[in-house]
Amino acid sequence: MRRPLICINNKSEGSGDARGMPSSSSSSLFDQLLQAAAAQPEPQRLLFVFAEAELPGDADAAQRARFEAGQGGALTPVACVEKSLPELSTFAALVAESRRASLPWRVMFAAGLSGANGQPPSAERIDSALEAMVEGVRSGAFGGYLALDTEGRPVRFG
């Protein structure tokens, strides 16, 4: 049974600067994502899909044991959101906001979406890109996204 997916769209269209952005000496992948988005020539929106790991109903004993040890399972998207750079400050703040707005999650997938001609991407492009990300997570086609755990550490699949 699929859980309901919570999608939150922030429809503000301003691009602004990346207020609260960490210094360039920061080494976290989330900070690097913010810095890379801020360096782009066109306004960016950052897209996030939050997913929980679940054990499939037909899992065998070995799969159950692996899952109970914190490995394996199937990823199920539980929430998605898009943000402009000024709306983002730290990974901890994004995690706290996601905890208030959605179901628990284990992996966050992130991607950038570029605007054009000095304008941020349209609401339609954002919605379409978020839908594609959600379907990519559901189907396991998420190799092009940044994947972080709840502590901001990179998640490797394989």
Side-chain angles (χ1 to χ4, degrees):
M1 179 164 136
R2 279 190 178 171
R3 291 185 190 176
L5 179 68
I6 301 167
C7 281
I8 306 160
N9 276 342
N10 300 322
K11 297 297 183 190
S12 62
E13 292 292 325
S15 59
D17 63 354
R19 289 183 293 250
M21 236 180 73
S23 70
S24 60
S25 63
S26 175
S27 62
S28 85
L29 288 175
F30 186 78
D31 292 343
Q32 291 174 29
L33 173 68
L34 295 182
Q35 292 165 358
Q40 298 305 306
E42 295 291 347
Q44 302 290 302
R45 297 299 278 194
L46 294 179
L47 311 178
F48 302 96
V49 173
F50 301 89
E52 178 60 282
E54 297 179 335
L55 187 62
D58 61 350
D60 61 30
Q63 290 170 322
R64 289 184 190 283
R66 255 184 101 217
F67 186 77
E68 289 171 11
Q71 298 179 348
L75 289 171
T76 302
V78 295
C80 62
V81 67
E82 51 90 17
K83 297 275 189 185
S84 66
L85 287 174
E87 294 172 313
L88 294 164
S89 59
T90 65
F91 183 74
L94 182 61
V95 169
E97 180 182 341
S98 74
R99 295 292 187 215
R100 288 187 302 271
S102 78
L103 297 167
W105 57 272
R106 288 193 195 179
V107 180
M108 179 200 75
F109 296 92
L113 184 63
S114 183
N117 300 318
Q119 297 298 310
S122 69
E124 294 79 21
R125 279 193 61 221
I126 291 168
D127 289 345
S128 177
L130 278 172
E131 287 176 25
M133 281 184 74
V134 167
E135 287 309 311
V137 170
R138 280 191 179 125
S139 68
F142 43 72
Y145 305 132
L146 173 64
L148 301 174
D149 69 10
T150 59
E151 301 299 317
R153 296 178 299 238
V155 176
R156 302 210 192 299
F157 299 95

